Amino acid sequence: MEPRDYVAALRKSWLLILLVAIVGAGSAYGYAKSSAPSYRATSKVFVTVENGQTVSELVQGSTFAQNVVQSYAQLVTMPAVLDSVIEELGLGVTSRSLARSVSANTPLNTSIIEIGAVSGDPDRAAEISNAVATSLSATVDELAPRNAEGGSSVAVRTVSPAVAPEFAFWPNTRFLTATGLLVGLVLGIGGALLRQVLDTKVRREEDVARVTDMALLGSVAASRTPESGRPVMLSRPRSAQAESYRKIRANLQFVNAAIELRSLAVTSARASEGKSTTVLNLALAMAERSSRVLIVDADLRRPTIAEKCGLEGAAGLTTVLIGNAGVDDVIQCWGDTGVSVMAAGAAPPNPLQLLESEAMAELLEELKERYDAILFDAPPALPVADASVLGRLADGVLLVAGAGMVTRQQLRTVVDSLGAVGTEIVGVVLSRANKREISDYYGYGYHSDEEADKPEPAGNSGASRSKSGKRASRRSRRAGAADEGSAEAEPDEPGDARVDSAATGRAEAVPERGVAGDGDASSREPANAEAASDGPRHRRRGEAASSPSR
């Protein structure tokens, strides 16, 4: 994984990371509030040597005191000291239990012992600490060596008695909450990265590049608007998705420059990855350039093209292959789109044998003579071998990969299996991709799906009329210039308005008239340089300047 993959994983799982961090901080805060408060009181005693008259004796006594202070500190938690404290305060606990609440600390290079006591009652903590200091002094007096006068040579004196603390040292609510938040962040980030490492599905264009070196012809974003049942090229021809299919069509033209690509089999690794939708929209995009486009539903197991197009599917490919009908009998026109459709026909018991038959090869040759572009909707390549057979018959195979639906291993298996039988994979299309991955490109010059369907606010009607008047005036001036520059161009039929897209070299039909075109598309190309230079400005406003009809 590259650094950008880790960043993408964190961006994708930011909500999970935030939730885990909040849960961690909340749990720590709840634990702090539910814990009983504890108070610590500290008293200090000083260890000194009683005898010593000269400087040498005093130095020796100080060194001796520092040497034995560690040993005396250990006495603080021993029964010899704590038993008398329990008896004096009437604690009702054992010396071992009390030892867990008492501690002793000796600062470096000093003869001071700090005696700490912990209790839920601040006054009780101070009493225990002072009592331990008093008991330690008495115990040391008994254990220390005697001097010449018979007294103890070492004395332990209290220099700082303990006082009741005002604030509890435990729980530290801020510290615990911050620690819980930090632990939650670490767990959330770790979980997000682990999820990214274990995720083997194809989700982005980079995932396709890891699997195969085949060209990625385009990515189609997943739609957030309710599906109307119509291809996006018809329902929202100005949307980013529609432009994605036009980009795929343009990229196929570059492939066509290297090989003759008249027939194309469109397949995917698994079902429901969007291959049939790709076939329909790609055919409509091709129909903007050519009037001879044919869709053949070659998925004889689960055909869907006829239903999606609203056509009769009882007769079709299988009817022709078994000799019960001719080609002209089963080909249907898809409305006024300019696309012809051959449905799958009745479901046969032996679909693979029909596709491998000589009749299928002869049918394809006949269709190539009639149509400029033939798109086969092939079955998924992993479950059945039909796609491999169609790939050998057609000039190439277009592989559709559904983002988040197919794994990298499945896609690699399909590429290897199709390549093993000699099929020509012209490229890969990533369908249902995350919109954020490609929105930066299409954010310029085109409306999004939501903007294309958004009604105009009532409060902006006056401003809209004012802007519309200015835009109409500019369009009139450009239309007059375009009319002079295209005086020798062949006029269109009445009412057949065309979208001026000179900047992209494409003539597109307005939605009301569909996307069908008759004759050579080059005759409809705009010839006005000024209109071409204004093309990007039209697209930024989401408008199209129509050529004048005469």
Side-chain angles (χ1 to χ4, degrees), residues 516-539:
D518 297 329
D520 187 5
S522 61
S523 65
R524 295 189 298 271
E525 295 292 335
N528 189 296
E530 179 180 339
S533 63
D534 290 337
R537 190 158 59 246
H538 285 301
R539 291 192 299 274

Side-chain angles (χ1 to χ4, degrees), residues 76 102 111 143 175 180 189 263 280 313 327 441 454 491 507:
V76 171
V102 177
S111 299
L143 299 178
F175 174 77
I189 293 174
S263 58
L280 296 175
V327 174
Y441 175 81
K454 186 184 298 183

Side-chain angles (χ1 to χ4, degrees), residues 27 83 235 381 397 438 487:
S27 300
D83 287 343
S235 61
V397 174
I438 55 179

Side-chain angles (χ1 to χ4, degrees), residues 250-275:
N251 289 334
L252 284 173
Q253 292 176 349
F254 287 101
V255 176
N256 195 11
I259 61 175
E260 184 181 3
L261 194 61
R262 299 283 300 280
S263 58
L264 188 64
V266 182
T267 185
S268 59
R270 302 170 61 248
S272 303
E273 290 191 57
K275 62 177 182 62

Side-chain angles (χ1 to χ4, degrees), residues 413-461:
T413 301
V414 170
V415 173
D416 294 342
S417 62
L418 292 177
V421 297
T423 59
E424 180 71 26
I425 303 178
V426 298
V428 181
V429 172
L430 183 64
S431 66
R432 303 179 182 180
N434 190 336
K435 205 169 195 177
R436 291 176 295 181
E437 299 292 337
I438 55 179
S439 60
D440 291 341
Y441 175 81
Y442 287 118
Y444 173 83
Y446 297 98
H447 288 295
S448 65
D449 296 342
E450 292 79 0
E451 291 173 344
D453 299 332
K454 186 184 298 183
E456 181 183 9
N460 296 335
S461 59

Side-chain angles (χ1 to χ4, degrees), residues 179-441:
T179 302
L181 178 64
L182 180 61
V183 172
L185 284 175
V186 172
L187 292 178
I189 293 174
L193 297 180
L194 181 62
R195 177 185 176 186
Q196 178 70 14
V197 171
L198 298 179
D199 186 11
T200 61
K201 290 187 176 181
V202 175
R203 300 185 183 275
R204 301 182 301 162
E205 298 178 355
E206 291 79 1
D207 297 332
V208 177
R210 293 176 186 173
V211 175
T212 177
D213 56 355
M214 299 295 174
L216 182 65
L217 300 182
S219 300
V220 182
S223 177
R224 294 184 180 179
T225 58
E227 293 295 336
S228 61
R230 303 178 65 201
V232 68
M233 290 293 297
L234 293 179
S235 61
R236 297 189 299 275
R238 293 164 51 203
S239 65
Q241 290 176 298
E243 284 302 317
S244 298
Y245 291 111
R246 295 187 180 100
K247 177 183 176 183
I248 297 170
R249 179 201 64 190
N251 289 334
L252 284 173
Q253 292 176 349
F254 287 101
V255 176
N256 195 11
I259 61 175
E260 184 181 3
L261 194 61
R262 299 283 300 280
S263 58
L264 188 64
V266 182
T267 185
S268 59
R270 302 170 61 248
S272 303
E273 290 191 57
K275 62 177 182 62
S276 299
T277 302
T278 301
V279 168
L280 296 175
N281 286 284
L282 185 57
L284 292 171
M286 290 181 174
E288 296 177 353
R289 285 287 194 176
S290 173
S291 60
R292 301 196 305 171
V293 180
L294 174 65
I295 298 176
V296 179
D297 192 351
D299 191 350
L300 305 182
R301 303 173 189 270
R302 299 176 63 180
T304 59
I305 294 297
E307 180 182 356
K308 289 179 179 291
C309 297
L311 302 176
E312 177 61 41
L317 178 60
T318 57
T319 312
V320 176
L321 293 180
I322 63 178
N324 288 346
V327 174
D328 295 330
D329 299 331
V330 298
I331 291 182
Q332 307 174 64
C333 293
W334 185 13
D336 59 352
T337 62
V339 178
S340 300
V341 177
M342 179 183 289
N350 54 346
L352 185 59
Q353 286 77 4
L354 283 179
L355 295 177
E356 291 178 325
S357 64
E358 290 294 334
M360 182 64 187
E362 295 174 358
L363 173 62
L364 180 57
E365 293 301 325
E366 180 180 354
L367 294 177
K368 284 184 178 180
E369 296 178 358
R370 298 188 179 194
Y371 295 94
D372 298 326
I374 305 171
L375 298 180
F376 289 95
D377 183 19
L382 278 183
V384 293
D386 299 15
S388 300
V389 175
L390 289 170
R392 291 198 307 268
L393 293 175
D395 297 329
V397 174
L398 180 63
L399 187 57
V400 178
M405 302 186 66
V406 61
T407 64
R408 293 193 290 268
Q409 181 60 40
Q410 290 172 337
L411 184 60
R412 185 180 296 109
T413 301
V414 170
V415 173
D416 294 342
S417 62
L418 292 177
V421 297
T423 59
E424 180 71 26
I425 303 178
V426 298
V428 181
V429 172
L430 183 64
S431 66
R432 303 179 182 180
N434 190 336
K435 205 169 195 177
R436 291 176 295 181
E437 299 292 337
I438 55 179
S439 60
D440 291 341
Y441 175 81

